[in-house]
Amino acid sequence: MPQDTLQILAPNGELVGDPPIDLDRIRELYEAMVVARVYDRKCTAMQKQGRLATYAPFEGQEACQIGAVAPLNADDWVVATYRDAGAMWFAGYPMVNLILGRTGDERGGKTPEGINVLPPSITVGGHMIHAVGTAWADKLQDTGRVSLTMFGDGATSEGDFHEAMNFAGVFDTPTVFFCQNNGWAISLPFEQQTAAESLVDKAVGYGMRGVRIDGNDLLAVVAAATTATEDARAGRGPTFIEAMTYRVGPHTTADDPGRYRTETLTDQWRAKDPIDRVRVYLEAQGQWTEAWEAGIAQAASQQVEDAVAEAEALEPFTGDEIFSAMFAEPTLPLLDQREMLRRDGP
Amino acid sequence: MTERTMAQALNAALSDALADPSVVLLGEDVGMTGGVFRVTDGLRETFGGDRVIDTPVAESGIIGAAFGMAVAGMRPIAELQFMGFSYPGYDQIVNHVSRIRNRSRHRFTAPLVIRIPYGGGIGAAEHHSESFETIYTHVPGLKVVVPSRPIDAKGLLASAIADPDPVIFLEPIRAYRAIKEDVPDAPYLTPIGVASIERTGSDVTLIAYGAMMKETRQAAELLGANGVDAEVIDLRTLVPLDVETIVASVQNTGRAVVIHEAPRTTGFGAEIAALIGEKALYSLKAPVERVTGWDVVVPLRRAEKHYTPGVDRIVNATMRTMES
């Protein structure tokens, strides 16, 4: 890690800074990381069995997934991507919704009332400005809510990144920009994504605070996310966080990383695993047992199985239902088309 | 009643809407200068810079931020300066604004209005005269509204702002100040999705919208003086289209001429002609005529007259339908 990168828990599990949270909270977040990993691996396995559509794994990024969301309130906004299922789940988006989405069902996008997690953005980069808009609305209406948007290094090359960062800076919106710099945008390495040495340098160009952190260090992620969230909530505007992490898996289940990278670097990053280091730390504090972890993993696995079963048990949309959510009320031309489908079939 | 131009009628609708604190207006130069066409003139002074917001020059940012505000429960009205400048925001409109209701099965919605001045006739620079309404009418999940006169402009904009779904509100540039008419002072709603039969007639149906209504009305008068009794329909809304009014009229007259300044190929006239073919073919006494712009870049000021349909083209096309 470059020197200006915040780290609190080193890869060997030793503290090199002050933990922002107590041991009980660390145990909670550790448990969430384990659930996220079990979910992630289970989805990849189920995709291979043909039970889910394409899946974008986040393995190796669990500290970001859980830590970025950890300081949020239940009704804060989360505007994230297809690779942020762990973060969305931890922010209150039900696992069955995540699974439904991956089976190819729009009902997965129906977030429960009271939870302000948007369905995942599938296009790259267009969603960051939405977290500026939600935050701007909250600022104008004085709700005290914060908007977190998550994205990868690839998204920072989109013009949308510039417009979102610029608007957030100009209008001083309570937005937290959380970039998981995981080294790869499908096959494109970071070095070819930008000539900048680091993404965090971009923050200054928007008059925004920026901080770079070890994204595989749960405590560093929580520390940075907490400061950014508190600043936003207190009216001190947006923050850009660059979390240095690594996508140890493929871009999606349809991707073959062997075509563009060797395993050497991936193995180096696996040695810096975000879950392992917290486990070593907790174990040294007498806060971890194998039985506890096995219990969490077993429950998570069952939760995913149950969510898949629930999703698969749901009858697919009828022809009528594809017309029912284009507008608050279907328009006359839509009703006409619905009649055509009823009359002639697909 | 006050005599108002379309720009003034729109301003009145915006002023009425801003009484609701969840409504905000944002766009380039909408505050201090009142917009490039002065439609938002004076609103910043009345409602403040937090509600009538001058934004950086970034159409995608304007629409994307307005989208986020709408999702969070506000009623934003985004102004773009010209249709030719709307394309940087098209990704937001097509991929997010039009889809969030379906994507979330009604949990999140985007009740925002995107106001876009469109069309030629003022001899402006390149990109300032375009009439590409079909790039919006083709996108599922958007409503597309085009007023042609002050009284409708006020009521339709009020309806667009109140609508629970996103509305693309196209404002014909050359009609901003071309017509003055009495407009009620109190707020009122003109329904979206309902065409207006401006003139009843028995020989032929002239179907137009937006800026082309001016030439269409003139053509109808001229035709009337020559013994051709034209019915004139102002569509007012392109999506959802008032199919019933069009079909009923053509079934009565047996002839139809569709007029728009957009390019001919896959222009909105093609949709109207197809609908007439589907639903009123056996009433037709003549082929449907389309009077349109050409499939060319809108010529600049010195040659623009060759592009925009004029009264003569409408009359000539109509007379062709009268031959059979």
Side-chain angles (χ1 to χ4, degrees), chain B residues 152-182:
Chain B
D152 287 344
K154 184 178 172 187
L156 284 169
L157 183 54
S159 292
I161 296 164
D163 199 277
D165 285 297
V167 178
I168 305 292
F169 196 86
L170 302 178
E171 300 174 4
I173 290 171
R174 69 194 155 93
Y176 270 137
R177 291 180 171 75
I179 317 165
K180 272 192 165 191
E181 66 182 346
D182 278 341

PDB file of all heavy atoms in Angstrom, chain B residues 152-182:
ATOM      1  N   ASP B 152     -53.017  25.935 -23.677  1.00  0.00           N
ATOM      2  CA  ASP B 152     -52.682  24.530 -23.437  1.00  0.00           C
ATOM      3  C   ASP B 152     -51.346  24.390 -22.723  1.00  0.00           C
ATOM      4  O   ASP B 152     -51.154  23.483 -21.910  1.00  0.00           O
ATOM      5  CB  ASP B 152     -52.612  23.760 -24.751  1.00  0.00           C
ATOM      6  CG  ASP B 152     -53.981  23.508 -25.362  1.00  0.00           C
ATOM      7  OD1 ASP B 152     -54.983  23.662 -24.635  1.00  0.00           O
ATOM      8  OD2 ASP B 152     -54.039  23.173 -26.559  1.00  0.00           O
ATOM      9  N   ALA B 153     -50.410  25.262 -23.050  1.00  0.00           N
ATOM     10  CA  ALA B 153     -49.081  25.171 -22.447  1.00  0.00           C
ATOM     11  C   ALA B 153     -49.179  25.243 -20.928  1.00  0.00           C
ATOM     12  O   ALA B 153     -48.563  24.454 -20.208  1.00  0.00           O
ATOM     13  CB  ALA B 153     -48.180  26.283 -22.976  1.00  0.00           C
ATOM     14  N   LYS B 154     -49.994  26.157 -20.439  1.00  0.00           N
ATOM     15  CA  LYS B 154     -50.106  26.307 -18.983  1.00  0.00           C
ATOM     16  C   LYS B 154     -50.763  25.079 -18.349  1.00  0.00           C
ATOM     17  O   LYS B 154     -50.244  24.512 -17.376  1.00  0.00           O
ATOM     18  CB  LYS B 154     -50.914  27.574 -18.640  1.00  0.00           C
ATOM     19  CG  LYS B 154     -50.978  27.816 -17.139  1.00  0.00           C
ATOM     20  CD  LYS B 154     -51.738  29.086 -16.770  1.00  0.00           C
ATOM     21  CE  LYS B 154     -51.924  29.125 -15.241  1.00  0.00           C
ATOM     22  NZ  LYS B 154     -52.779  30.223 -14.805  1.00  0.00           N
ATOM     23  N   GLY B 155     -51.859  24.655 -18.922  1.00  0.00           N
ATOM     24  CA  GLY B 155     -52.588  23.529 -18.331  1.00  0.00           C
ATOM     25  C   GLY B 155     -51.862  22.205 -18.486  1.00  0.00           C
ATOM     26  O   GLY B 155     -51.901  21.344 -17.589  1.00  0.00           O
ATOM     27  N   LEU B 156     -51.182  22.018 -19.612  1.00  0.00           N
ATOM     28  CA  LEU B 156     -50.436  20.766 -19.821  1.00  0.00           C
ATOM     29  C   LEU B 156     -49.206  20.702 -18.929  1.00  0.00           C
ATOM     30  O   LEU B 156     -48.858  19.634 -18.413  1.00  0.00           O
ATOM     31  CB  LEU B 156     -50.029  20.627 -21.297  1.00  0.00           C
ATOM     32  CG  LEU B 156     -51.147  20.223 -22.265  1.00  0.00           C
ATOM     33  CD1 LEU B 156     -50.681  20.381 -23.709  1.00  0.00           C
ATOM     34  CD2 LEU B 156     -51.605  18.783 -22.016  1.00  0.00           C
ATOM     35  N   LEU B 157     -48.532  21.848 -18.749  1.00  0.00           N
ATOM     36  CA  LEU B 157     -47.351  21.821 -17.879  1.00  0.00           C
ATOM     37  C   LEU B 157     -47.774  21.534 -16.436  1.00  0.00           C
ATOM     38  O   LEU B 157     -47.121  20.757 -15.729  1.00  0.00           O
ATOM     39  CB  LEU B 157     -46.570  23.135 -17.976  1.00  0.00           C
ATOM     40  CG  LEU B 157     -45.279  23.187 -17.157  1.00  0.00           C
ATOM     41  CD1 LEU B 157     -44.357  22.007 -17.475  1.00  0.00           C
ATOM     42  CD2 LEU B 157     -44.536  24.503 -17.398  1.00  0.00           C
ATOM     43  N   ALA B 158     -48.900  22.110 -16.020  1.00  0.00           N
ATOM     44  CA  ALA B 158     -49.401  21.824 -14.672  1.00  0.00           C
ATOM     45  C   ALA B 158     -49.700  20.328 -14.528  1.00  0.00           C
ATOM     46  O   ALA B 158     -49.372  19.705 -13.511  1.00  0.00           O
ATOM     47  CB  ALA B 158     -50.648  22.655 -14.388  1.00  0.00           C
ATOM     48  N   SER B 159     -50.299  19.733 -15.552  1.00  0.00           N
ATOM     49  CA  SER B 159     -50.588  18.298 -15.514  1.00  0.00           C
ATOM     50  C   SER B 159     -49.307  17.470 -15.512  1.00  0.00           C
ATOM     51  O   SER B 159     -49.228  16.446 -14.830  1.00  0.00           O
ATOM     52  CB  SER B 159     -51.440  17.889 -16.723  1.00  0.00           C
ATOM     53  OG  SER B 159     -52.717  18.447 -16.636  1.00  0.00           O
ATOM     54  N   ALA B 160     -48.329  17.903 -16.290  1.00  0.00           N
ATOM     55  CA  ALA B 160     -47.061  17.171 -16.359  1.00  0.00           C
ATOM     56  C   ALA B 160     -46.377  17.169 -14.994  1.00  0.00           C
ATOM     57  O   ALA B 160     -45.847  16.143 -14.554  1.00  0.00           O
ATOM     58  CB  ALA B 160     -46.141  17.794 -17.411  1.00  0.00           C
ATOM     59  N   ILE B 161     -46.423  18.300 -14.309  1.00  0.00           N
ATOM     60  CA  ILE B 161     -45.778  18.393 -12.992  1.00  0.00           C
ATOM     61  C   ILE B 161     -46.520  17.523 -11.979  1.00  0.00           C
ATOM     62  O   ILE B 161     -45.915  16.889 -11.117  1.00  0.00           O
ATOM     63  CB  ILE B 161     -45.716  19.866 -12.528  1.00  0.00           C
ATOM     64  CG1 ILE B 161     -44.828  20.682 -13.481  1.00  0.00           C
ATOM     65  CG2 ILE B 161     -45.176  19.970 -11.094  1.00  0.00           C
ATOM     66  CD1 ILE B 161     -44.996  22.191 -13.356  1.00  0.00           C
ATOM     67  N   ALA B 162     -47.835  17.468 -12.106  1.00  0.00           N
ATOM     68  CA  ALA B 162     -48.644  16.672 -11.167  1.00  0.00           C
ATOM     69  C   ALA B 162     -48.610  15.183 -11.504  1.00  0.00           C
ATOM     70  O   ALA B 162     -48.991  14.353 -10.683  1.00  0.00           O
ATOM     71  CB  ALA B 162     -50.087  17.163 -11.194  1.00  0.00           C
ATOM     72  N   ASP B 163     -48.145  14.843 -12.698  1.00  0.00           N
ATOM     73  CA  ASP B 163     -48.201  13.445 -13.148  1.00  0.00           C
ATOM     74  C   ASP B 163     -47.268  12.579 -12.303  1.00  0.00           C
ATOM     75  O   ASP B 163     -46.160  12.997 -11.965  1.00  0.00           O
ATOM     76  CB  ASP B 163     -47.784  13.370 -14.620  1.00  0.00           C
ATOM     77  CG  ASP B 163     -48.241  12.078 -15.276  1.00  0.00           C
ATOM     78  OD1 ASP B 163     -47.544  11.052 -15.132  1.00  0.00           O
ATOM     79  OD2 ASP B 163     -49.309  12.101 -15.922  1.00  0.00           O
ATOM     80  N   PRO B 164     -47.701  11.364 -11.960  1.00  0.00           N
ATOM     81  CA  PRO B 164     -46.836  10.501 -11.154  1.00  0.00           C
ATOM     82  C   PRO B 164     -45.680   9.868 -11.933  1.00  0.00           C
ATOM     83  O   PRO B 164     -44.872   9.154 -11.351  1.00  0.00           O
ATOM     84  CB  PRO B 164     -47.806   9.412 -10.660  1.00  0.00           C
ATOM     85  CG  PRO B 164     -48.900   9.381 -11.667  1.00  0.00           C
ATOM     86  CD  PRO B 164     -49.037  10.783 -12.178  1.00  0.00           C
ATOM     87  N   ASP B 165     -45.600  10.141 -13.220  1.00  0.00           N
ATOM     88  CA  ASP B 165     -44.542   9.539 -14.052  1.00  0.00           C
ATOM     89  C   ASP B 165     -43.773  10.603 -14.814  1.00  0.00           C
ATOM     90  O   ASP B 165     -44.229  11.742 -14.930  1.00  0.00           O
ATOM     91  CB  ASP B 165     -45.194   8.529 -15.011  1.00  0.00           C
ATOM     92  CG  ASP B 165     -45.595   7.263 -14.276  1.00  0.00           C
ATOM     93  OD1 ASP B 165     -44.685   6.592 -13.762  1.00  0.00           O
ATOM     94  OD2 ASP B 165     -46.808   6.975 -14.185  1.00  0.00           O
ATOM     95  N   PRO B 166     -42.620  10.236 -15.343  1.00  0.00           N
ATOM     96  CA  PRO B 166     -41.803  11.246 -16.035  1.00  0.00           C
ATOM     97  C   PRO B 166     -42.450  11.737 -17.325  1.00  0.00           C
ATOM     98  O   PRO B 166     -43.016  10.951 -18.076  1.00  0.00           O
ATOM     99  CB  PRO B 166     -40.491  10.508 -16.328  1.00  0.00           C
ATOM    100  CG  PRO B 166     -40.804   9.053 -16.234  1.00  0.00           C
ATOM    101  CD  PRO B 166     -41.948   8.931 -15.276  1.00  0.00           C
ATOM    102  N   VAL B 167     -42.341  13.021 -17.536  1.00  0.00           N
ATOM    103  CA  VAL B 167     -42.914  13.632 -18.734  1.00  0.00           C
ATOM    104  C   VAL B 167     -41.832  14.427 -19.460  1.00  0.00           C
ATOM    105  O   VAL B 167     -41.152  15.254 -18.855  1.00  0.00           O
ATOM    106  CB  VAL B 167     -44.084  14.573 -18.379  1.00  0.00           C
ATOM    107  CG1 VAL B 167     -44.641  15.234 -19.643  1.00  0.00           C
ATOM    108  CG2 VAL B 167     -45.195  13.818 -17.637  1.00  0.00           C
ATOM    109  N   ILE B 168     -41.683  14.128 -20.749  1.00  0.00           N
ATOM    110  CA  ILE B 168     -40.843  14.955 -21.613  1.00  0.00           C
ATOM    111  C   ILE B 168     -41.755  16.041 -22.168  1.00  0.00           C
ATOM    112  O   ILE B 168     -42.736  15.747 -22.854  1.00  0.00           O
ATOM    113  CB  ILE B 168     -40.249  14.127 -22.782  1.00  0.00           C
ATOM    114  CG1 ILE B 168     -39.478  12.906 -22.251  1.00  0.00           C
ATOM    115  CG2 ILE B 168     -39.372  15.002 -23.672  1.00  0.00           C
ATOM    116  CD1 ILE B 168     -38.217  13.217 -21.500  1.00  0.00           C
ATOM    117  N   PHE B 169     -41.440  17.271 -21.827  1.00  0.00           N
ATOM    118  CA  PHE B 169     -42.316  18.387 -22.188  1.00  0.00           C
ATOM    119  C   PHE B 169     -41.615  19.214 -23.263  1.00  0.00           C
ATOM    120  O   PHE B 169     -40.655  19.927 -22.982  1.00  0.00           O
ATOM    121  CB  PHE B 169     -42.606  19.229 -20.944  1.00  0.00           C
ATOM    122  CG  PHE B 169     -43.770  20.154 -21.085  1.00  0.00           C
ATOM    123  CD1 PHE B 169     -45.063  19.717 -20.813  1.00  0.00           C
ATOM    124  CD2 PHE B 169     -43.587  21.461 -21.499  1.00  0.00           C
ATOM    125  CE1 PHE B 169     -46.151  20.567 -20.948  1.00  0.00           C
ATOM    126  CE2 PHE B 169     -44.670  22.322 -21.631  1.00  0.00           C
ATOM    127  CZ  PHE B 169     -45.955  21.873 -21.353  1.00  0.00           C
ATOM    128  N   LEU B 170     -42.091  19.061 -24.501  1.00  0.00           N
ATOM    129  CA  LEU B 170     -41.425  19.712 -25.628  1.00  0.00           C
ATOM    130  C   LEU B 170     -42.069  21.063 -25.904  1.00  0.00           C
ATOM    131  O   LEU B 170     -43.284  21.156 -26.081  1.00  0.00           O
ATOM    132  CB  LEU B 170     -41.518  18.817 -26.871  1.00  0.00           C
ATOM    133  CG  LEU B 170     -40.907  17.418 -26.698  1.00  0.00           C
ATOM    134  CD1 LEU B 170     -41.110  16.593 -27.974  1.00  0.00           C
ATOM    135  CD2 LEU B 170     -39.434  17.505 -26.349  1.00  0.00           C
ATOM    136  N   GLU B 171     -41.232  22.088 -25.913  1.00  0.00           N
ATOM    137  CA  GLU B 171     -41.729  23.449 -26.096  1.00  0.00           C
ATOM    138  C   GLU B 171     -41.275  23.977 -27.456  1.00  0.00           C
ATOM    139  O   GLU B 171     -40.070  24.116 -27.687  1.00  0.00           O
ATOM    140  CB  GLU B 171     -41.210  24.331 -24.950  1.00  0.00           C
ATOM    141  CG  GLU B 171     -41.693  23.815 -23.594  1.00  0.00           C
ATOM    142  CD  GLU B 171     -41.097  24.555 -22.402  1.00  0.00           C
ATOM    143  OE1 GLU B 171     -40.348  25.544 -22.595  1.00  0.00           O
ATOM    144  OE2 GLU B 171     -41.376  24.132 -21.256  1.00  0.00           O
ATOM    145  N   PRO B 172     -42.230  24.248 -28.344  1.00  0.00           N
ATOM    146  CA  PRO B 172     -41.852  24.722 -29.687  1.00  0.00           C
ATOM    147  C   PRO B 172     -41.245  26.121 -29.634  1.00  0.00           C
ATOM    148  O   PRO B 172     -41.928  27.091 -29.261  1.00  0.00           O
ATOM    149  CB  PRO B 172     -43.169  24.710 -30.460  1.00  0.00           C
ATOM    150  CG  PRO B 172     -44.250  24.666 -29.447  1.00  0.00           C
ATOM    151  CD  PRO B 172     -43.683  24.093 -28.180  1.00  0.00           C
ATOM    152  N   ILE B 173     -39.983  26.199 -29.999  1.00  0.00           N
ATOM    153  CA  ILE B 173     -39.245  27.457 -29.832  1.00  0.00           C
ATOM    154  C   ILE B 173     -39.935  28.619 -30.536  1.00  0.00           C
ATOM    155  O   ILE B 173     -40.110  29.687 -29.968  1.00  0.00           O
ATOM    156  CB  ILE B 173     -37.795  27.292 -30.357  1.00  0.00           C
ATOM    157  CG1 ILE B 173     -37.017  26.364 -29.422  1.00  0.00           C
ATOM    158  CG2 ILE B 173     -37.104  28.642 -30.494  1.00  0.00           C
ATOM    159  CD1 ILE B 173     -35.652  25.954 -29.948  1.00  0.00           C
ATOM    160  N   ARG B 174     -40.362  28.386 -31.782  1.00  0.00           N
ATOM    161  CA  ARG B 174     -40.904  29.551 -32.510  1.00  0.00           C
ATOM    162  C   ARG B 174     -42.321  29.899 -32.088  1.00  0.00           C
ATOM    163  O   ARG B 174     -42.866  30.904 -32.529  1.00  0.00           O
ATOM    164  CB  ARG B 174     -40.752  29.395 -34.015  1.00  0.00           C
ATOM    165  CG  ARG B 174     -41.605  28.345 -34.672  1.00  0.00           C
ATOM    166  CD  ARG B 174     -41.077  28.079 -36.089  1.00  0.00           C
ATOM    167  NE  ARG B 174     -41.443  26.759 -36.537  1.00  0.00           N
ATOM    168  CZ  ARG B 174     -42.541  26.510 -37.237  1.00  0.00           C
ATOM    169  NH1 ARG B 174     -43.348  27.469 -37.581  1.00  0.00           N
ATOM    170  NH2 ARG B 174     -42.821  25.267 -37.595  1.00  0.00           N
ATOM    171  N   ALA B 175     -42.908  29.063 -31.216  1.00  0.00           N
ATOM    172  CA  ALA B 175     -44.245  29.414 -30.708  1.00  0.00           C
ATOM    173  C   ALA B 175     -44.179  30.124 -29.354  1.00  0.00           C
ATOM    174  O   ALA B 175     -45.204  30.550 -28.837  1.00  0.00           O
ATOM    175  CB  ALA B 175     -45.100  28.150 -30.587  1.00  0.00           C
ATOM    176  N   TYR B 176     -42.964  30.234 -28.792  1.00  0.00           N
ATOM    177  CA  TYR B 176     -42.850  30.867 -27.470  1.00  0.00           C
ATOM    178  C   TYR B 176     -43.515  32.239 -27.425  1.00  0.00           C
ATOM    179  O   TYR B 176     -44.158  32.598 -26.441  1.00  0.00           O
ATOM    180  CB  TYR B 176     -41.375  31.033 -27.079  1.00  0.00           C
ATOM    181  CG  TYR B 176     -40.771  29.865 -26.332  1.00  0.00           C
ATOM    182  CD1 TYR B 176     -39.492  29.404 -26.662  1.00  0.00           C
ATOM    183  CD2 TYR B 176     -41.437  29.239 -25.278  1.00  0.00           C
ATOM    184  CE1 TYR B 176     -38.907  28.354 -25.970  1.00  0.00           C
ATOM    185  CE2 TYR B 176     -40.858  28.194 -24.580  1.00  0.00           C
ATOM    186  CZ  TYR B 176     -39.591  27.755 -24.928  1.00  0.00           C
ATOM    187  OH  TYR B 176     -39.016  26.726 -24.230  1.00  0.00           O
ATOM    188  N   ARG B 177     -43.300  33.006 -28.488  1.00  0.00           N
ATOM    189  CA  ARG B 177     -43.830  34.378 -28.493  1.00  0.00           C
ATOM    190  C   ARG B 177     -44.661  34.698 -29.722  1.00  0.00           C
ATOM    191  O   ARG B 177     -45.068  35.835 -29.925  1.00  0.00           O
ATOM    192  CB  ARG B 177     -42.652  35.369 -28.382  1.00  0.00           C
ATOM    193  CG  ARG B 177     -42.012  35.306 -27.015  1.00  0.00           C
ATOM    194  CD  ARG B 177     -40.847  36.238 -26.811  1.00  0.00           C
ATOM    195  NE  ARG B 177     -40.508  36.209 -25.395  1.00  0.00           N
ATOM    196  CZ  ARG B 177     -39.872  35.201 -24.809  1.00  0.00           C
ATOM    197  NH1 ARG B 177     -39.485  34.155 -25.531  1.00  0.00           N
ATOM    198  NH2 ARG B 177     -39.616  35.217 -23.514  1.00  0.00           N
ATOM    199  N   ALA B 178     -44.942  33.666 -30.544  1.00  0.00           N
ATOM    200  CA  ALA B 178     -45.634  33.924 -31.808  1.00  0.00           C
ATOM    201  C   ALA B 178     -47.120  34.216 -31.601  1.00  0.00           C
ATOM    202  O   ALA B 178     -47.714  34.980 -32.353  1.00  0.00           O
ATOM    203  CB  ALA B 178     -45.463  32.725 -32.736  1.00  0.00           C
ATOM    204  N   ILE B 179     -47.693  33.563 -30.601  1.00  0.00           N
ATOM    205  CA  ILE B 179     -49.140  33.721 -30.391  1.00  0.00           C
ATOM    206  C   ILE B 179     -49.375  34.301 -28.999  1.00  0.00           C
ATOM    207  O   ILE B 179     -48.719  33.903 -28.044  1.00  0.00           O
ATOM    208  CB  ILE B 179     -49.864  32.352 -30.416  1.00  0.00           C
ATOM    209  CG1 ILE B 179     -49.338  31.476 -31.550  1.00  0.00           C
ATOM    210  CG2 ILE B 179     -51.372  32.536 -30.468  1.00  0.00           C
ATOM    211  CD1 ILE B 179     -49.729  30.010 -31.411  1.00  0.00           C
ATOM    212  N   LYS B 180     -50.346  35.197 -28.897  1.00  0.00           N
ATOM    213  CA  LYS B 180     -50.841  35.654 -27.591  1.00  0.00           C
ATOM    214  C   LYS B 180     -52.307  35.289 -27.521  1.00  0.00           C
ATOM    215  O   LYS B 180     -53.034  35.440 -28.515  1.00  0.00           O
ATOM    216  CB  LYS B 180     -50.694  37.175 -27.472  1.00  0.00           C
ATOM    217  CG  LYS B 180     -49.358  37.631 -26.939  1.00  0.00           C
ATOM    218  CD  LYS B 180     -49.417  39.099 -26.583  1.00  0.00           C
ATOM    219  CE  LYS B 180     -48.214  39.476 -25.718  1.00  0.00           C
ATOM    220  NZ  LYS B 180     -48.369  40.805 -25.132  1.00  0.00           N
ATOM    221  N   GLU B 181     -52.725  34.797 -26.372  1.00  0.00           N
ATOM    222  CA  GLU B 181     -54.165  34.588 -26.209  1.00  0.00           C
ATOM    223  C   GLU B 181     -54.516  34.708 -24.735  1.00  0.00           C
ATOM    224  O   GLU B 181     -53.635  34.679 -23.872  1.00  0.00           O
ATOM    225  CB  GLU B 181     -54.604  33.226 -26.774  1.00  0.00           C
ATOM    226  CG  GLU B 181     -54.055  32.027 -26.041  1.00  0.00           C
ATOM    227  CD  GLU B 181     -54.505  30.711 -26.684  1.00  0.00           C
ATOM    228  OE1 GLU B 181     -55.431  30.711 -27.518  1.00  0.00           O
ATOM    229  OE2 GLU B 181     -53.932  29.666 -26.337  1.00  0.00           O
ATOM    230  N   ASP B 182     -55.788  34.814 -24.465  1.00  0.00           N
ATOM    231  CA  ASP B 182     -56.239  34.937 -23.083  1.00  0.00           C
ATOM    232  C   ASP B 182     -56.024  33.615 -22.360  1.00  0.00           C
ATOM    233  O   ASP B 182     -56.454  32.557 -22.824  1.00  0.00           O
ATOM    234  CB  ASP B 182     -57.724  35.306 -23.038  1.00  0.00           C
ATOM    235  CG  ASP B 182     -57.923  36.809 -23.225  1.00  0.00           C
ATOM    236  OD1 ASP B 182     -56.939  37.562 -23.018  1.00  0.00           O
ATOM    237  OD2 ASP B 182     -59.036  37.217 -23.589  1.00  0.00           O
TER     238      ASP B 182
END
